[in-house]
């Protein structure tokens, strides 16, 4: 846990102090990004190597392990020299297997050699304690698994982090990875998954329901002033409070029935909930386009009901129903309902 970005020495140390007060020291790894892969070049790009010194100070002052994001071999070297314990690979880098490969090779150079081999004037930095690999920005389970394989060649323990795609979970992808690699711990990143601090408490129960292995969340000493991902960061105290309420709920539930079978059902339900969300959101977007078509039709004196168009779509759906392996009557019924609602949008 920790802020999205290391912004200043004061912000990093204050967040660590608040975390220590809220959670104690042994229960978290302190995270902060110093090189931020931002969408726009005008956004805050991170504090760079100076930020590593603030993280190292957190480690010295509070005795916690520290983590940062690496996207290049140079980042790996600088982070390990500063004593960073855990390296994580972000979703954008995770989408590029060549980048992950070069990072793995850089880590390997530290991992395979003797830990305290003296170079000209410094002690060689040790290998990291652990590596975290986020899912790629695109929902590609195979690539995520491939990246796990690339990193585990270093011999350093690897954990997967499910941060979702865009600001949504992608349980189907996570389920594939969980099934293929049950030996790899999987953490939930509810902050990037939702992009909204208010939604983080709704996502946290998934850790227990799905039998995940932990949480990688963003907390900030003053979230509204954060230079990156301000909307999704909570204060350490807020995070602790939502964790507490969930834990007390699950302590009771876990006395009842957390078997492997029930976890599999929960994974499948998570997948189906996600598909339902997509379904309803797609229908809502369709109605929106339909409304805009209605405006155009009115402006151009065209009737809302166009029997030819209705018929053409019905014919297309008959062919599609075969391809999809769904009964044509079932598709027809749904299409009629959608069409009826669409016409209402154009009244
Ligand atoms: C982060 O953890 O701060 C981050 C940039 O995450 P992601 O790669 O998941 O967007
Ligand atoms: Mn972030």
């Amino acid at each position: 846990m920790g802020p999205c970005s290391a912004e200043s020495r004061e912000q990093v140390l204050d967040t660590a102090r608040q975390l220590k007060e809220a959670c104690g020291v042994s229960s978290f790894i302190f995270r902060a990004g110093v090189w931020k892969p931002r969408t726009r070049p005008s956004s805050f790009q991170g504090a760079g190597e100076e930020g590593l010194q603030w993280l190292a100070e957190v480690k010295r002052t509070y005795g916690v392990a520290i983590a940062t994001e690496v996207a290049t071999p140079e980042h790996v070297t600088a982070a390990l020299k500063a004593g960073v314990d855990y390296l994580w690979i972000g979703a954008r880098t995770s989408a590029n297997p060549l980048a992950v490969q070069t990072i793995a090779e850089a880590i390997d150079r530290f991992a395979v050699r003797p830990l305290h081999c003296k170079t000209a004037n410094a002690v060689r930095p040790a290998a990291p304690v652990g590596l975290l690999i986020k899912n790629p920005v695109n929902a590609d389970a195979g690539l995520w698994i491939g990246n796990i394989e690339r990193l585990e060649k270093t011999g350093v323990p690897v954990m997967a982090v499910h941060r979702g795609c865009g600001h949504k979970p992608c349980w189907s992808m996570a389920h594939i990875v969980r099934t293929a690699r049950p030996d790899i711990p999987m953490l939930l990143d509810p902050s990037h998954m939702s992009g909204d601090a208010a939604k983080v408490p709704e996502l946290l129960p998934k850790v227990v329901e799905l039998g995940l292995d932990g949480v990688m969340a963003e907390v900030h000493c003053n979230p509204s002033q954060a230079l990156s991902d301000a909307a999704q960061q909570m204060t350490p105290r807020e995070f602790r409070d939502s964790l507490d309420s969930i834990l007390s709920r699950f302590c009771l539930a876990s006395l009842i029935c957390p078997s492997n079978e029930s976890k599999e059902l929960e994974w499948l339900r998570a997948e189906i909930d996600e598909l339902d969300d997509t379904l309803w959101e797609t229908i809502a977007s369709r109605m929106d386009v339909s409304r805009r078509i209605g405006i155009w039709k009115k402006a151009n004196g065209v009737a809302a009901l166009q029997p030819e168009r209705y018929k053409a779509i019905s014919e297309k759906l008959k062919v599609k129903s075969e391809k999809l392996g769904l009964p044509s009557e079932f598709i027809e019924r749904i299409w009629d309902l959608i069409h009826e609602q669409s016409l209402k949008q154009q009244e």
Side-chain angles (χ1 to χ4, degrees):
M1 282 189 291
C4 177
S5 306
E7 299 165 6
S8 68
R9 179 176 171 271
E10 292 66 35
Q11 170 256 2
V12 168
L13 284 160
D14 198 24
T15 306
R17 182 189 54 76
Q18 291 188 21
L19 260 171
K20 189 196 154 200
E21 280 168 18
C23 305
V25 281
S26 55
S27 55
F28 67 91
I29 296 166
F30 188 82
R31 61 143 284 159
V34 301
W35 300 285
K36 300 302 296 178
R38 305 304 299 279
T39 306
R40 306 284 298 270
S42 50
S43 305
F44 176 61
Q45 302 292 302
E49 283 196 33
E50 191 187 3
L52 295 174
Q53 295 315 315
W54 307 331
L55 281 171
E57 195 173 340
V58 167
K59 184 172 171 172
R60 282 196 305 276
T61 311
Y62 296 107
V64 285
I66 51 174
T68 203
E69 174 171 352
V70 291
T72 66
E74 292 74 23
H75 293 168
V76 171
T77 308
L80 293 180
K81 276 190 180 152
V84 173
D85 304 287
Y86 291 83
L87 304 178
W88 89 76
I89 295 177
R92 288 154 194 82
T93 309
S94 183
N96 178 351
L98 286 181
V100 176
Q101 182 60 29
T102 52
I103 291 168
E105 284 163 10
I107 294 166
D108 203 43
R109 285 196 279 280
F110 291 100
V112 294
R113 293 182 191 174
L115 293 187
H116 295 293
C117 148
K118 297 247 181 208
T119 57
N121 47 20
V123 171
R124 190 178 180 80
V129 175
L131 304 173
L132 299 110
I133 177 79
K134 297 225 188 178
N135 65 265
V137 268
N138 49 326
D140 188 336
L143 184 52
W144 197 6
I145 294 169
N147 285 340
I148 292 170
E149 290 163 353
R150 288 180 181 94
L151 292 177
E152 66 188 352
K153 286 208 178 108
T154 62
V156 179
V158 178
M159 291 180 265
V161 183
H162 181 206
R163 54 85 76 212
C165 296
H167 286 319
K168 285 185 179 161
C170 191
W171 299 118
S172 46
M173 167 179 59
H175 194 187
I176 294 170
V177 174
R178 191 61 163 171
T179 307
R181 296 302 308 264
D183 55 319
I184 296 290
M186 186 180 280
L187 312 185
L188 180 80
D189 174 349
S191 314
H192 293 91
M193 186 176 277
S194 63
D196 181 352
K199 293 191 181 141
V200 167
E202 295 164 25
L203 286 167
L204 284 175
K206 283 278 176 255
V207 176
V208 186
E209 287 168 11
L210 301 176
L212 299 179
D213 302 283
V215 176
M216 180 185 193
E218 288 188 342
V219 292
H220 191 287
C221 54
N222 190 358
S224 66
Q225 299 305 307
L227 298 182
S228 60
D229 287 349
Q232 70 195 34
Q233 301 192 68
M234 303 168 116
T235 64
R237 187 73 247 173
E238 286 164 348
F239 184 78
R240 177 71 227 187
D241 288 347
S242 51
L243 211 54
D244 275 349
S245 63
I246 287 150
L247 285 179
S248 54
R249 205 172 101 205
F250 277 99
C251 283
L252 274 179
S254 63
L255 292 176
I256 306 171
C257 66
S259 69
N260 283 343
E261 288 84 335
S262 72
K263 299 263 182 281
E264 180 61 14
L265 178 61
E266 289 304 329
W267 273 100
L268 293 169
R269 283 186 172 155
E271 278 194 52
I272 223 161
D273 287 349
E274 181 181 313
L275 287 169
D276 283 350
D277 279 349
T278 310
L279 202 61
W280 300 126
E281 282 161 19
T282 306
I283 289 176
S285 305
R286 192 189 190 286
M287 293 305 158
D288 184 50
V289 177
S290 185
R291 259 190 302 277
R292 283 151 53 202
I293 289 180
I295 294 168
W296 186 92
K297 282 178 177 167
K298 269 189 194 140
N300 290 277
V302 176
L305 176 62
Q306 295 289 311
E308 285 312 308
R309 170 90 173 139
Y310 169 80
K311 229 174 102 196
I313 295 180
S314 301
E315 290 306 320
K316 256 200 326 204
L317 284 177
K318 271 195 195 117
V319 178
K320 200 162 184 79
S321 67
E322 266 174 50
K323 279 197 191 141
L324 294 174
L326 291 168
S328 59
E329 316 80 65
F330 169 67
I331 298 236
E332 247 169 63
R333 274 168 63 200
I334 295 178
W335 163 230
D336 279 348
L337 279 174
I338 291 176
H339 185 249
E340 195 186 311
Q341 188 59 32
S342 253
L343 284 180
K344 284 194 185 143
Q345 306 297 315
Q346 302 188 3
E347 275 167 5

